[in-house]
Amino acid sequence: EEQFSKDKIKINNAYDSMELEGKSEIEQIKTISLYVVNNLNDDEPEPYFDHLRAGLTGLGNNYHYSFLTAAFLQKAGFTAFVVNEDPNPRNEGFKNSWVEILYEGEWYGINPYKIETLNLVDKVKNGENVEYFMKSVDSDEFANNHDASSKVDEFIEYSFEITFNQEIMEKYSH
């Protein structure tokens, strides 16, 4: 419980440092996504059961980038999920992870890990068209790099708990 309190302070301080108040919703989404990309390094943290706690170490992989992004988006009031893709031959057995967010009545995908590892930060910052940021999950462009047929939705609640609650999933499924 003491660690939980420390983690909550860290995430609240990080969230406050983004200064989201007064920004449009799309600017809030961009600010949150870029905050995570700029504050995590692509490296494996010590093993943690809690992906959010692992993300707070400053190290992470695609799961940690997505979990931290979804937590901040939820704290800002957005409905957001982390989506894990089951292994498939296209990505040579590794799992892919991204965020799906409900924005203006439509589901969009954000893959913060790909934004960093493919050096797309400046393009996102400048509002350029990037296939890994705010693309309709139904678009071919997003589907080309995210295998929706094998995805497993995970709903993260800001309480740092990962919930596989069927009722919640059905409420927000698309």
Side-chain angles (χ1 to χ4, degrees):
E1 189 165 312
E2 182 180 328
Q3 184 62 49
F4 176 81
S5 295
K6 288 179 184 177
D7 290 345
K8 192 167 184 174
I9 290 168
K10 281 184 186 178
I11 204 163
N12 285 332
N13 288 341
Y15 181 84
D16 291 343
S17 76
M18 290 183 243
E19 300 179 347
L20 300 175
E21 191 172 322
K23 292 184 178 181
S24 68
E25 286 187 341
I26 194 69
E27 283 300 316
Q28 289 179 23
I29 295 166
K30 185 190 302 186
T31 299
I32 289 168
S33 300
L34 292 175
Y35 177 89
V36 171
V37 167
N38 290 328
N39 285 281
L40 282 183
N41 293 305
D42 181 21
D43 197 3
E44 287 295 321
E46 292 295 316
Y48 288 95
F49 173 74
D50 185 335
H51 293 299
L52 279 174
R53 181 171 293 146
L56 292 172
T57 67
L59 303 174
N61 59 30
N62 57 350
Y63 302 114
H64 306 116
Y65 281 69
S66 294
F67 277 83
L68 200 54
T69 301
F72 284 135
L73 288 169
Q74 288 179 3
K75 185 163 174 53
F78 296 98
T79 299
F81 292 90
V82 172
V83 180
N84 288 324
E85 180 179 272
D86 287 335
N88 65 55
R90 188 184 72 237
N91 60 19
E92 300 173 353
F94 295 104
K95 287 189 175 186
N96 190 10
S97 184
W98 64 91
V99 176
E100 291 188 5
I101 179 172
L102 185 62
Y103 175 70
E104 295 185 347
E106 187 175 347
W107 288 98
Y108 290 89
I110 302 170
N111 192 325
Y113 183 75
K114 294 284 189 182
I115 291 169
E116 178 177 356
T117 58
L118 298 176
N119 298 313
L120 301 171
V121 172
D122 287 337
K123 288 185 176 191
V124 171
K125 196 180 295 183
N126 296 329
E128 295 179 42
N129 185 8
V130 175
E131 64 191 277
Y132 297 102
F133 181 74
M134 291 304 287
K135 289 295 171 190
S136 170
V137 296
D138 297 325
S139 71
D140 290 339
E141 188 174 18
F142 192 77
N144 286 339
N145 294 294
H146 301 86
D147 185 5
S149 67
S150 66
K151 74 181 183 179
V152 179
D153 288 335
E154 297 178 13
F155 184 80
I156 306 172
E157 295 181 352
Y158 177 60
S159 67
F160 294 91
E161 298 293 326
I162 302 169
T163 305
F164 296 95
N165 182 312
Q166 191 62 36
E167 184 178 315
I168 291 172
M169 293 305 305
E170 287 173 5
K171 179 179 177 184
Y172 293 110
S173 67
H174 52 280

